[in-house]
Amino acid sequence: MRVYIPSTLRLLDVACHAGEFGPAPLTAYAVTPALREWYAEGDDEELEYAAMAQAARASVGLLAADPDTARRRVVVAVEVSAVPPADGSVDLGDARLELQVVIPWTKVAAVHLDAAGAAAVVGKAADLWEAAQNGDDDAVFALDSCEGEDLLWYATQEIPDLLAAEGPRGLNGVN
């Protein structure tokens, strides 16, 4: 099953060098029963996109917590054999789940990353993340604006070169 892990360039670099995503538990996003019920008319591709979009939004929260990392959303698509069932505490439409395992790098299928030109929009959203969580209209608008930025797709064999081009540990301002 395809699962989406929100990340940052710095966290991606750490995982690439460590050979795994961890420690457990890991927050990830997938086509959950709650998402399928909320988006009943959606086909599998649309549901996958909705799950990835939720992971991309969560990536903004990770950027907010690490102001020194490059202001670009990162979503790592991984293949896992099973996803734990929802425990009943999720909201309708929620694709979030908790993985109780470390994910080996060999399970990475692809990485989705904002283009460098999206850094200003994403950075503003990260700066206003906490206000958006508290319902501030301008901050929510900034966060929603990220959804207008397409995530680029990178195959697994491209990731080491991508990270090398971004500089050490995906530090902000390094292109």
Side-chain angles (χ1 to χ4, degrees):
M1 167 174 247
R2 181 70 46 108
V3 174
Y4 300 96
I5 301 173
S7 193
T8 65
L9 280 168
R10 186 191 312 252
L11 294 173
L12 180 65
D13 186 66
V14 169
C16 182
H17 286 91
E20 65 186 22
F21 285 90
L26 291 170
T27 299
Y29 295 79
V31 178
T32 61
L35 180 63
R36 198 172 287 284
E37 183 179 345
W38 170 75
Y39 201 13
E41 298 299 318
D43 62 22
D44 287 344
E45 187 175 320
E46 291 169 319
L47 290 166
E48 292 278 341
Y49 184 81
M52 186 177 74
Q54 288 186 31
R57 184 171 281 242
S59 176
V60 177
L62 296 174
L63 294 170
D66 186 2
D68 292 330
T69 195
R71 305 326 248 171
R72 295 164 69 189
R73 298 170 300 163
V74 176
V75 176
V76 182
V78 300
E79 291 293 332
V80 295
S81 58
V83 173
D87 64 4
S89 65
V90 297
D91 293 329
L92 189 62
D94 196 351
R96 186 183 61 239
L97 49 87
E98 243 183 37
L99 298 176
Q100 299 299 324
V101 295
V102 170
I103 303 295
W105 186 261
T106 57
K107 298 294 184 182
V108 173
V111 169
H112 303 271
L113 169 69
D114 277 312
V121 171
V122 174
K124 181 176 182 181
D127 292 343
L128 297 173
W129 175 258
E130 192 166 322
Q133 302 312 297
N134 293 323
D136 179 274
D137 288 340
D138 291 335
V140 170
F141 180 78
L143 185 56
D144 289 345
S145 295
C146 289
E147 293 176 7
E149 301 293 332
D150 289 329
L151 294 172
L152 305 175
W153 180 89
Y154 291 88
T156 55
Q157 65 269 25
E158 297 175 296
I159 297 169
D161 290 338
L162 168 71
L163 291 169
E166 290 300 322
R169 304 283 183 201
L171 293 176
N172 198 16
V174 177
N175 288 325

